[in-house]
Amino acid sequence: MLLLSEDQTRDALPFPELIDSLRAIFQSGCVMPTRHHHDVEIPGEEDGTMLLMPAWVPGGFSGVKVANVVPGNSDRNLPAVSAQYLLSDARTGKMLALIDGGELTARRTAAASALAASYLARPDAEHLLVVGTGRLAINLVGAHMAVRPIKQVTIWGRSKEKSANLAREIGSSYPVKVTVAGKLGEALENADIVSAATLSSEPLIRGADLRAGTHVDLVGAFKPSMRESDDEVIKRAELYVDTRDGCLVEGGDIVQPMKAGLITEADIKADLYELCRSDHPGRQSSEAITVFKSVGAALEDLAGAMLAYRNGGH
């Protein structure tokens, strides 16, 4: 069985190839049962959660991601999320590879954002604003650079120290000009692409600050109670999602305005299936504001795992 560490998984998933792999699986589709959520009691602290995300291509590959989320790990100085991906032969059931789930998730999530941006961001988009300083941030830079001519990256985070550290890391990793934003509103006014990956429950991105032609990529806010954009963003924008099933249930940026009656399901112009299959043309105007909301899907993990297996020497 192939075992891929975090570093090996990163090396096996270069963004141009990963984005192409995601495009291909959204075009062809796969079997993707509803993810399983199980509460796990932990004496003396908040419950943990076990997440199981299965998917398979009949006669091809099958896989499942197992993720354990333990909020109390912050007190132990341990990551809150531990994950692994088990890839199998869907014809024989033979288990083929165990792949680092954290790195796989981070890279496929960023690649899905870039895949959407390849249809929704202006072709001349050069200035990327990243909102948030977590693990996804540097991945979002690398992924968007694979589909758009990014020359300038601006970082905004609540922590000035984390923002400065991230800016240095990006500057040493990619040939772009990197700055740290003082005020988010001013940064929003100057960005071509805004990519937000936070755990915010209150809107950070305000529609009044966005200029015409901006593409907004909403990666965080994966629970209905969480939100990164305000109502004005949603009212001004053309709305797109990774999967309708996921975003209509879990994506707070869609669920909350829908419950408030600001939008209906019909206002979602397309999902990644429709964009990748050319059922919808994506951006049609240089002046439009586009919003892509993602919550993640098991077929993205499967596509990444298949690519990592192939690039790992199989």
Side-chain angles (χ1 to χ4, degrees), residues 48-312:
T49 305
M50 181 187 293
L51 302 172
L52 307 175
M53 297 174 64
W56 59 88
V57 176
F61 290 94
S62 65
V64 60
K65 184 167 73 177
V66 180
N68 296 323
V69 185
V70 181
N73 273 355
S74 58
D75 297 332
R76 290 183 276 269
N77 219 15
L78 293 171
V81 181
S82 299
Q84 292 288 340
Y85 196 92
L86 181 61
L87 183 72
S88 301
D89 184 318
R91 188 177 296 277
T92 66
K94 180 183 179 182
M95 295 179 180
L96 302 172
L98 191 64
I99 299 162
D100 184 82
E103 190 63 22
L104 172 63
T105 302
R107 292 186 79 80
R108 67 81 157 151
T109 302
S113 288
L115 176 60
S118 73
Y119 298 102
L120 302 176
R122 294 194 328 272
D124 62 350
E126 295 182 349
H127 186 176
L128 172 66
L129 167 62
V130 177
V131 180
T133 57
R135 180 176 191 168
L136 264 173
I138 192 165
N139 286 289
L140 288 164
V141 174
H144 279 103
M145 286 182 69
V147 298
R148 287 296 182 264
I150 304 299
K151 295 178 181 174
Q152 183 174 355
V153 175
T154 301
I155 304 297
W156 182 87
R158 297 186 193 279
S159 163
K160 285 187 171 60
E161 182 183 358
K162 287 182 180 178
S163 299
N165 289 340
L166 176 61
R168 281 192 290 272
E169 186 180 0
I170 292 169
S172 64
S173 302
Y174 297 108
V176 291
K177 177 185 177 185
V178 189
T179 56
V180 173
K183 294 182 179 178
L184 180 55
E186 291 178 6
L188 289 168
E189 291 172 1
N190 295 310
D192 298 319
I193 299 174
V194 178
S195 194
T198 73
L199 299 177
S200 183
S201 296
E202 300 296 326
L204 295 168
I205 299 165
R206 307 204 173 272
D209 295 326
L210 297 175
R211 64 182 180 185
T214 304
H215 172 58
V216 181
D217 172 40
L218 301 173
V219 183
F222 57 89
K223 295 180 180 178
S225 59
M226 303 164 78
R227 195 161 179 191
E228 295 180 307
S229 63
D230 70 358
D231 286 346
E232 188 66 18
V233 172
I234 301 302
K235 285 193 285 189
R236 290 186 68 190
E238 297 178 357
L239 303 177
Y240 300 84
V241 296
D242 58 352
T243 64
R244 294 176 189 269
D245 289 349
C247 285
L248 290 171
V249 174
E250 299 177 1
D253 290 280
I254 300 295
V255 171
Q256 291 183 36
M258 196 168 282
K259 282 187 176 176
L262 288 175
I263 57 170
T264 67
E265 286 187 37
D267 289 311
I268 296 174
K269 294 195 173 291
D271 59 17
L272 278 178
Y273 292 103
E274 293 161 308
L275 290 170
C276 292
R277 294 171 182 176
S278 299
D279 294 335
H280 189 285
R283 173 180 288 273
Q284 295 170 277
S285 159
S286 62
E287 296 297 299
I289 293 174
T290 52
V291 162
F292 174 67
K293 175 61 194 154
S294 65
V295 294
L299 87 166
E300 298 168 2
D301 292 309
L302 179 59
M306 292 189 305
L307 176 62
Y309 181 68
R310 289 195 297 269
N311 283 344

